[in-house]
Amino acid sequence: TERDVLSAMDTDNSFRSLYGEVQRLLGRSLNTEELKILLSFTNYLGLPGDVISVLVCYCKDRARQKGSLRNPSLRTIEKEAYSWAERGIDTLEEAAAFIQAQNVRNSRLHRLMNLLQIRGRSLTAAEERYAQGWLDMGFDEECISMAYERTCLNTGSLNWAYMNKILQRWNEAGLHTAEEIKRGDRKNAV
């Protein structure tokens, strides 16, 4: 409530400091509604101030990666805060590990986009699920390239569902390296 925000601003030095830091990071003053959201990060989600600062920086970086020139809204940051709380990310070490894992994931997806000749746009949510699924199955870029080439030869272009069937078949057959695929997969089509 507004009374809780006013009380925190008057009596809680760490919240007042967090408030100042978040305003500095976002480059603007926070309104009362945004202060309530920020207070919920500490009081409801139990996130420490230093983790919230890292969270805000992470959300800013993610917005930049997606091409936005604007800082994220506190509502956007709130969604990520709930996600972090659900994952149990409440220390600087856990936040750093999560961000590092996300950076590795994004780097792998970016390389995969180059391999699939996708430029000038982001993956759609469905495309990202396919791509992440292939990486999670343990396929490296060479295997995905082989599936892409086969897909293009058989369909004339990138067909995500077709390519997914190729990779799922290889996965089910236990073929996860280029050498295994060359030896174990004699079919030329799905």
Side-chain angles (χ1 to χ4, degrees), residues 107-119:
S107 175
R108 291 181 77 200
L109 285 174
H110 184 73
R111 286 195 313 272
L112 194 130
M113 286 174 65
N114 283 336
L115 185 133
L116 299 177
Q117 301 177 29
I118 297 171
R119 294 177 183 81

Side-chain angles (χ1 to χ4, degrees), residues 8-180:
M9 290 298 288
D10 286 342
T11 62
D12 187 341
N13 287 337
S14 62
F15 182 76
R16 214 174 17 249
S17 175
L18 174 64
Y19 161 73
E21 175 69 3
V22 170
Q23 285 191 133
R24 185 188 67 73
L25 289 169
L26 295 179
R28 63 180 175 77
S29 297
L30 300 181
N31 63 36
T32 305
E33 283 305 307
E34 292 172 320
L35 280 172
K36 289 178 190 175
I37 294 170
L38 186 60
L39 188 62
S40 76
F41 294 175
T42 59
N43 290 356
Y44 180 69
L45 296 178
L47 297 175
D50 53 358
V51 172
I52 295 169
S53 293
V54 170
L55 168 73
V56 172
C57 290
Y58 171 75
C59 290
K60 281 181 62 171
D61 289 345
R62 204 169 66 180
R64 297 289 172 282
Q65 289 169 0
K66 291 183 177 182
S68 175
L69 300 176
R70 300 175 63 205
N71 283 327
S73 70
L74 224 60
R75 285 285 178 203
T76 298
I77 296 168
E78 179 183 34
K79 289 177 187 168
E80 192 65 29
Y82 273 85
S83 175
W84 282 28
E86 287 171 9
R87 288 182 163 104
I89 300 170
D90 59 4
T91 67
L92 286 177
E93 293 78 18
E94 290 164 339
F98 172 78
I99 291 169
Q100 177 64 27
Q102 290 301 304
N103 288 341
V104 167
R105 176 186 182 274
N106 291 339
S107 175
R108 291 181 77 200
L109 285 174
H110 184 73
R111 286 195 313 272
L112 194 130
M113 286 174 65
N114 283 336
L115 185 133
L116 299 177
Q117 301 177 29
I118 297 171
R119 294 177 183 81
R121 71 172 182 86
S122 299
L123 293 176
T124 66
E127 291 170 339
E128 192 169 323
R129 282 191 299 275
Y130 275 127
Q132 190 59 52
W134 303 335
L135 295 172
D136 290 346
M137 284 183 221
F139 290 112
D140 63 16
E141 292 172 29
E142 188 177 5
C143 295
I144 293 171
S145 180
M146 291 170 69
Y148 175 59
E149 184 174 330
R150 185 172 295 181
T151 299
C152 290
L153 286 171
N154 290 328
T155 68
S157 65
L158 172 58
N159 178 318
W160 290 87
Y162 189 95
M163 189 168 159
N164 191 56
K165 285 182 181 169
I166 292 170
L167 289 161
Q168 283 180 330
R169 192 183 71 239
W170 290 345
N171 185 54
E172 289 165 7
L175 309 175
H176 288 95
T177 67
E179 203 50 50
E180 289 171 345

